């Protein structure tokens, strides 16, 4: 199916708009909207349809387990919605009012799969408008925000899935933090979901999926960072770790043609296969899914 004209609204850190389409080599047009930490909603249009996603996912009890719920709003009455990944329905998509729907990702396999970097597709069918059917592609990722406290502790907004061999599970979620001035240590405390912290002065923050889920659910509970020396803590800061929609795009074409599954990147493959025997941490080669595609 050929892709027709597509327009996207891109949000910057101040949620300002840039309506200039991204040029493509073919007549097809395609763009991606990315969310900085201050963007609360992402918008995109295709034809005379507009769709928006709330960037911040929230956790609720669904079907007896905790689940991440992501909400969206359309400008046309909704007939049906379906969430899927290549070749398979994935998560639950529910129409909750005439123009609003939600995506539910249950804790465990569904949530871990999406947070580890697999894009989620959402097919939307409307009762009016042109076109009557279109597909959204969203990326959901762990992100820090709501930073409060000392500017001497810097916490990277991004937490990135990395390929690190550790028994039967090769997925770690890694963040970064650093401290200005001389300190001997950085520690992180929370009711649960505390990462492994190491690598002074440019600290790595590592979570397994289980720990990551504890850290982001509920999203209202911050992690507390302290840095200091023999005489105790000299700097303190808090930040919340949440699941956030970081990319959003729309098309009225065939989603598999517009967004085909990425192959193994030759540069990632060369990096992966050039590592010394016994290497367990392949984060220098790319993200978790970039490396995973080159391990087969």
């Amino acid at each position: 199916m050929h892709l027709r004209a597509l327009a996207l609204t891109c949000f910057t850190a101040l949620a300002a708009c840039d309506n200039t389409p991204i040029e493509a080599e073919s007549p097809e047009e395609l763009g991606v909207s990315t969310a900085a930490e201050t963007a609360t909603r992402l918008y995109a249009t295709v034809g005379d349809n507009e769709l928006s996603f709330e960037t911040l996912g929230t956790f609720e009890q669904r079907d007896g387990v905790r689940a991440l719920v992501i909400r969206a709003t359309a400008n046309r009455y909704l007939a049906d919605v379906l969430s899927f990944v290549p070749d398979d329905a994935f998560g639950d998509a529910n129409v909750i009012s005439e123009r609003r729907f939600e995506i539910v990702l249950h804790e465990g396999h569904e949530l871990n799969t999406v947070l580890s970097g697999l894009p989620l597709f959402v097919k939307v069918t409307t009762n009016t408008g042109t076109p009557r059917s279109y597909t959204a592609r969203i990326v959901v990722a762990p992100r820090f925000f709501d930073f409060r406290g000392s500017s001497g502790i810097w916490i990277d907004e991004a937490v990135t899935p990395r390929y690190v061999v550790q028994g039967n599970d090769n997925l770690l979620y890694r963040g970064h933090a650093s401290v200005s001035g001389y300190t001997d240590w950085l520690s992180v405390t929370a009711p649960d979901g505390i990462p492994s912290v190491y690598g002074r002065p440019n600290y790595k923050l590592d979570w397994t999926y289980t720990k990551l889920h504890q850290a982001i659910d509920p999203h209202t509970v911050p992690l507390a960072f302290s840095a200091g020396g023999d005489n105790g803590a000299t700097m303190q800061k808090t930040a919340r770790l949440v699941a956030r929609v970081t990319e959003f795009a729309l098309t009225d074409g065939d989603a598999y043609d517009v967004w085909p599954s990425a192959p193994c990147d030759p540069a990632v493959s060369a990096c992966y296969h050039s590592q010394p025997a016994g290497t367990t941490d392949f984060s220098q080669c790319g993200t978790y899914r970039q490396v995973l595609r080159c391990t087969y």
Side-chain angles (χ1 to χ4, degrees):
M1 183 182 298
H2 293 290
L3 176 63
R4 295 194 289 274
L6 172 67
L8 289 180
T9 304
C10 297
F11 270 54
T12 67
L14 297 178
C17 297
D18 179 3
N19 293 318
T20 304
I22 298 175
E23 293 185 1
E25 295 180 355
S26 69
E28 298 178 345
E29 296 179 7
L30 179 63
V32 174
S33 192
T34 57
E37 64 176 82
T38 53
T40 59
R41 186 178 288 271
L42 290 177
Y43 294 79
T45 60
V46 58
D48 57 10
N49 291 280
E50 180 181 78
L51 186 67
S52 67
F53 275 88
E54 296 178 7
T55 60
L56 181 60
T58 60
F59 280 90
E60 299 178 10
Q61 197 76 8
R62 297 292 182 93
D63 305 316
V65 299
R66 299 292 286 175
L68 179 70
V69 181
I70 300 168
R71 293 179 172 86
T73 302
N75 69 334
R76 304 285 178 178
Y77 284 180
L78 296 165
D80 190 34
V81 288
L82 172 69
S83 57
F84 64 102
V85 294
D87 302 322
D88 195 14
F90 201 85
D92 294 334
N94 308 310
V95 176
I96 55 178
S97 69
E98 291 175 335
R99 297 182 181 181
R100 299 181 68 240
F101 67 88
E102 63 181 15
I103 305 300
V104 179
L105 299 170
H106 298 89
E107 194 279 320
H109 171 69
E110 288 182 357
L111 182 59
N112 192 25
T113 297
V114 172
L115 291 179
S116 68
L118 188 68
L120 183 67
F121 297 157
V122 184
K123 185 175 180 61
V124 179
T125 305
T126 60
N127 290 314
T128 60
T130 303
R132 296 276 293 276
S133 180
Y134 54 88
T135 304
R137 176 189 183 273
I138 63 172
V139 173
V140 183
R143 287 291 185 269
F144 274 111
F145 88 123
D146 190 21
F147 304 98
R148 304 185 185 193
S150 173
S151 61
I153 299 177
W154 175 84
I155 305 165
D156 194 343
E157 176 191 346
V159 172
T160 305
R162 297 296 187 184
Y163 192 95
V164 180
V165 178
Q166 43 183 332
N168 295 325
D169 185 4
N170 299 330
L171 170 62
L172 271 184
Y173 291 90
R174 177 167 293 165
H176 295 273
S178 61
V179 181
S180 63
Y182 180 81
T183 57
D184 291 319
W185 50 265
L186 174 72
S187 68
V188 182
T189 58
D192 50 24
I194 300 172
S196 298
V197 182
Y198 60 98
R200 183 171 71 97
N202 298 312
Y203 294 93
K204 294 182 177 67
L205 313 172
D206 282 355
W207 288 266
T208 62
Y209 164 73
T210 299
K211 290 289 188 181
L212 182 83
H213 172 246
Q214 292 172 349
I216 64 178
D217 179 16
H219 67 279
T220 55
V221 178
L223 281 76
F225 293 76
S226 299
D230 293 338
N231 295 325
T234 58
M235 291 178 280
Q236 295 179 327
K237 192 168 194 172
T238 63
R240 286 193 279 159
L241 186 60
V242 299
R244 186 179 288 280
V245 178
T246 58
E247 295 180 17
F248 169 36
L250 279 185
T251 182
D252 61 351
D254 188 311
Y256 294 128
D257 292 338
V258 177
W259 302 299
S261 297
C264 169
D265 185 295
V268 175
S269 179
C271 176
Y272 173 77
H273 291 287
S274 67
Q275 298 306 306
T279 297
T280 58
D281 189 335
F282 295 91
S283 57
Q284 68 270 33
C285 298
T287 65
Y288 169 74
R289 291 199 170 272
Q290 287 173 332
V291 175
L292 181 65
R293 288 192 288 266
C294 296
T295 60
Y296 298 106

